[in-house]
């Protein structure tokens, strides 16, 4: 790995995965790397999907147990919003289910405990009603999510069956959008809920993870609904280098290795659920210097491109979250005490950041292309980019519209009249409102 010493084991795993995946699985503890490769080779699992699922499950398990603090003004929890991108039938769900098995098993335990406690509960005795503790939910309103988080301050994970359904569902029956509420959740800002139809709830330090899957052609359709609020910039996209269907291996899965993996994942979760919450972990001096260097490397590309700026501003924060996850996981699997986030963990976080940054640019290109092809404003946007001038004539617009989108004269004038991206200056003269540089 760049910037740090790499073991022979990590080097071998890196060589194996580079043939078929860009996901830097060498950031994980060696044992986890072995499981990922085993399930790829003999379980027919996509390496990116399984690695992304494990990363998400680590984040969910840690929850609010630990926070990372850069300085007195900047701290982060372990919240990750991961979206698996792939063709239909790419088996995105099975690797995720295996990665989350310990969390789902634990929730089943909580459910049994709740039912047992409810059977002995007597409201007439002025007893405290048992809490229904949840670690994850597949479908809920934002109000329900907040109530679940209130009952479990450790954190909650949203695992929608389809990510598109989740995004569409953010607009409620009354037309109000909950996107802004989720943005506040991602930021870790305190949240309160006071509504007649729901119990009051206050979350001082929300920690909500999201993991879901969507087809690559479907996510492009969401561009037309994007309100430029930074919602999609908060997503960490997992995109396999190779999506083709693979032949089933004749070699059976190493069941012992898988059993040990599940035992260790269960132990990791149990340790994270035990003890106090909100333990602040500082950066080591070297980790802080390395982070500052990487943050500074984002300045120039951010100043050159607005879309890049939106992506990198979120990844700036994700680097801290990823470094914390790497440190906590490494300490657990290597039986070390957590004191500070090391330089090694920060280097691993940067490798992950680079992976997610590359994927974000790829998704942005896909969404831009779909937006420019399939929506009125998108068509105008692409025409104005092609014209490349601040002021232009209707004749120029009509000519480029015909070349790019095979649009006739009448439709071109219609687009000019309805678009908010142009301003009429006079007869046949217009000004572009987009950056033409």
């Amino acid at each position: 790995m760049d910037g740090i010493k790499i073991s022979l084991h990590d080097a071998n795993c890196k060589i194996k995965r580079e043939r078929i995946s860009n996901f830097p699985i060498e950031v994980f503890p060696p044992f986890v790397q072995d499981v990922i490769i085993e399930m790829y080779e003999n379980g027919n699992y996509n390496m990116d999907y399984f690695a992304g699922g494990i990363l998400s499950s680590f984040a969910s398990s840690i929850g609010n147990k630990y926070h990372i603090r850069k300085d007195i003004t900047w701290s982060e929890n372990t919240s990750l919003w991961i979206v698996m991108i792939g063709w239909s039938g790419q088996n995105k769900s099975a690797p995720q289910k295996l990665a989350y098995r310990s969390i789902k098993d634990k929730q089943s335990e909580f459910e049994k405990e709740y039912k047992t406690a409810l059977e002995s509960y007597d409201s007439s005795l002025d007893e405290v009603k048992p809490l229904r503790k949840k670690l994850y939910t597949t479908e809920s309103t934002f109000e329900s999510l907040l109530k679940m988080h209130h009952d479990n301050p450790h954190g909650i994970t949203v695992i929608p069956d389809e990510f598109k359904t989740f995004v569409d569902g953010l607009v409620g029956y009354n037309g109000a959008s909950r996107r802004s509420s989720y943005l506040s959740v991602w930021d870790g800002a305190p949240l309160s809920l006071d509504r007649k139809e729901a119990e009051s709830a206050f979350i001082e330090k929300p920690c909500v993870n999201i993991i879901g899957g969507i087809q690559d052609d479907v996510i492009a359709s969401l561009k037309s609904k994007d309100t430029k609020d930074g919602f999609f910039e908060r997503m960490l996209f997992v995109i396999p280098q190779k999506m083709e269907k693979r032949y089933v291996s004749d070699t059976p899965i190493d069941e012992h290795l898988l059993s040990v993996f599940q035992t260790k994942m269960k132990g990791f979760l149990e340790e994270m659920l035990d003890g106090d919450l909100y333990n602040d972990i500082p950066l080591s001096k070297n980790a802080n210097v390395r982070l500052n260097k990487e943050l500074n490397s984002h300045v120039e590309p951010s100043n050159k491109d607005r879309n890049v700026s939106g992506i990198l501003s979120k990844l700036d924060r994700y680097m801290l979250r990823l470094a914390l996850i790497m440190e906590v996981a490494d300490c657990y699997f290597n039986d070390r005490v957590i004191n500070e986030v090391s330089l090694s963990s920060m280097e691993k976080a940067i490798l992950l950041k680079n992976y997610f940054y590359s994927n974000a640019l790829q998704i942005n290109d896909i969404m831009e292309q779909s937006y420019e092809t399939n929506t009125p404003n998108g068509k105008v946007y692409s025409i104005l980019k092609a014209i490349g001038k601040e002021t232009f004539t209707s004749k120029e617009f009509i000519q480029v519209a015909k070349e790019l989108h095979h649009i006739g004269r009448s439709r071109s004038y219609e687009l000019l009249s309805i678009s908010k991206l142009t301003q009429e200056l006079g007869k046949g003269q217009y000004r572009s409102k987009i950056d033409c540089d």
Side-chain angles (χ1 to χ4, degrees):
M1 288 178 282
D2 298 339
I4 58 175
K5 293 181 179 179
I6 185 170
S7 69
L8 181 60
H9 178 279
D10 290 349
N12 287 334
C13 285
K14 182 177 181 181
I15 291 170
K16 284 184 178 181
R17 69 91 177 159
E18 282 185 336
R19 294 174 300 168
I20 38 84
S21 172
N22 291 323
F23 196 108
I25 66 168
E26 58 272 20
V27 302
F28 292 118
F31 174 76
V32 176
Q33 298 176 39
D34 293 340
V35 175
I36 293 172
I37 290 175
E38 171 66 21
M39 292 307 296
Y40 167 77
E41 293 179 339
N42 301 319
N44 209 27
Y45 276 22
N46 182 282
M47 190 175 289
D48 290 64
Y49 295 151
F50 193 27
I54 291 173
L55 179 64
S56 177
S57 70
F58 279 170
S60 295
S61 295
I62 297 168
N64 266 324
K65 173 78 171 181
Y66 294 107
H67 287 189
I68 183 171
R69 181 171 294 281
K70 186 182 188 302
D71 54 45
I72 195 170
T73 65
W74 188 1
S75 66
E76 300 285 347
N77 58 27
T78 59
S79 174
L80 305 180
W81 290 6
I82 292 181
V83 183
M84 311 285 192
I85 308 294
W87 299 340
S88 177
Q90 277 298 111
N91 193 21
K92 297 183 285 293
S93 60
Q96 178 186 312
K97 287 178 181 178
L98 181 57
Y100 264 82
R101 182 178 294 174
S102 60
I103 291 174
K104 293 188 175 183
D105 287 348
K106 188 62 180 178
Q107 180 149 311
S108 295
E109 289 182 26
F110 284 152
E111 190 67 17
K112 291 177 182 177
E113 292 172 2
Y114 170 74
K115 288 180 178 179
T116 300
L118 203 60
E119 289 173 358
S120 60
Y121 168 68
D122 189 341
S123 59
S124 65
L125 298 178
D126 200 27
E127 296 176 342
V128 177
K129 188 176 180 179
L131 292 179
R132 193 171 194 172
K133 197 171 184 180
K134 284 182 172 288
L135 295 172
Y136 75 94
T137 180
T138 57
E139 182 180 3
S140 74
T141 62
F142 183 77
E143 291 77 12
S144 298
L145 180 72
L146 205 58
K147 178 62 171 62
M148 282 185 267
H149 199 342
H150 178 266
D151 293 344
N152 178 24
H154 182 84
I156 195 83
T157 299
V158 181
I159 312 178
D161 293 329
E162 286 291 339
F163 181 71
K164 183 179 185 301
T165 304
F166 166 72
V167 175
D168 290 342
L170 293 180
V171 178
Y173 63 90
N174 60 354
S177 175
R178 277 300 189 182
R179 280 173 63 131
S180 61
S181 299
Y182 270 92
L183 298 182
S184 296
V185 166
W186 187 89
D187 286 334
L191 293 170
S192 63
L193 174 67
D194 295 289
R195 297 180 58 174
K196 293 180 180 179
E197 63 268 31
E199 294 183 49
S200 296
F202 175 74
I203 313 296
E204 182 180 2
K205 296 181 178 181
C207 182
V208 176
N209 280 274
I210 300 174
I211 181 169
I214 193 170
Q215 297 172 28
D216 55 341
D217 56 342
V218 175
I219 194 167
S221 68
L222 299 176
K223 176 69 179 180
S224 61
K225 301 176 183 177
D226 191 4
T227 57
K228 298 292 185 182
D229 55 6
F231 186 79
F232 285 105
E233 284 80 358
R234 286 166 168 79
M235 302 299 165
L236 298 175
F237 297 106
V238 172
I239 309 176
Q241 180 178 321
K242 296 184 177 181
M243 290 191 190
E244 69 267 18
K245 201 171 183 68
R246 295 171 52 231
Y247 292 102
V248 178
S249 172
D250 289 329
T251 305
I253 295 171
D254 186 338
E255 293 187 6
H256 174 70
L257 181 67
L258 206 55
S259 176
V260 175
F261 171 70
Q262 289 301 331
T263 300
K264 289 190 175 185
M265 292 294 282
K266 180 181 178 181
F268 181 68
L269 175 61
E270 294 284 358
E271 184 166 313
M272 295 302 106
L273 291 174
D274 185 45
D276 297 332
L277 298 176
Y278 318 123
N279 299 285
D280 274 347
I281 307 298
L283 287 169
S284 70
K285 182 178 179 180
N286 289 336
N288 190 58
V289 170
R290 182 66 183 92
L291 174 63
N292 288 340
K293 180 180 179 181
E294 197 66 19
L295 292 173
N296 287 335
S297 74
H298 293 174
V299 173
E300 189 172 337
S302 295
N303 288 338
K304 289 181 177 179
D305 189 293
R306 192 177 303 171
N307 288 330
V308 168
S309 177
I311 295 168
L312 287 177
S313 66
K314 307 306 179 292
L315 289 174
D316 286 348
R317 296 181 62 179
Y318 266 131
M319 279 193 291
L320 277 171
R321 300 181 185 195
L322 292 166
L324 176 60
I325 294 167
M326 292 295 101
E327 184 68 27
V328 174
D330 188 67
C331 286
Y332 172 78
F333 281 94
N334 292 291
D335 197 24
R336 292 193 295 108
V337 176
I338 302 172
N339 292 315
E340 60 183 11
V341 173
S342 66
L343 173 60
S344 174
S345 292
M346 183 56 67
E347 292 286 4
K348 292 174 182 178
I350 291 170
L351 283 177
L352 287 166
K353 181 270 297 183
N354 290 338
Y355 170 81
F356 290 122
Y357 178 50
S358 175
N359 289 348
L361 294 179
Q362 184 178 338
I363 288 297
N364 190 70
D365 286 343
I366 292 173
M367 295 177 77
E368 285 286 352
Q369 290 169 14
S370 174
Y371 170 69
E372 293 175 13
T373 302
N374 300 317
T375 66
N377 272 331
K379 287 185 173 70
V380 174
Y381 181 76
S382 64
I383 294 167
L384 295 179
K385 282 202 305 181
I387 293 174
K389 298 188 297 183
E390 183 178 355
T391 60
F392 61 94
T393 66
S394 56
K395 184 177 180 181
E396 289 175 307
F397 188 90
I398 292 168
Q399 180 62 36
V400 176
K402 182 178 179 181
E403 293 171 357
L404 283 182
H405 301 293
H406 309 289
I407 293 173
R409 184 184 183 90
S410 297
R411 177 58 174 161
S412 295
Y413 275 117
E414 182 184 354
L415 289 176
L416 276 170
S417 66
I418 65 173
S419 176
K420 295 181 180 179
L421 302 178
T422 62
Q423 178 186 359
E424 187 173 5
L425 301 176
K427 188 173 182 180
Q429 298 290 324
Y430 292 85
R431 182 177 71 84
S432 170
K433 293 184 180 180
I434 72 167
D435 186 359
C436 297
D437 294 335

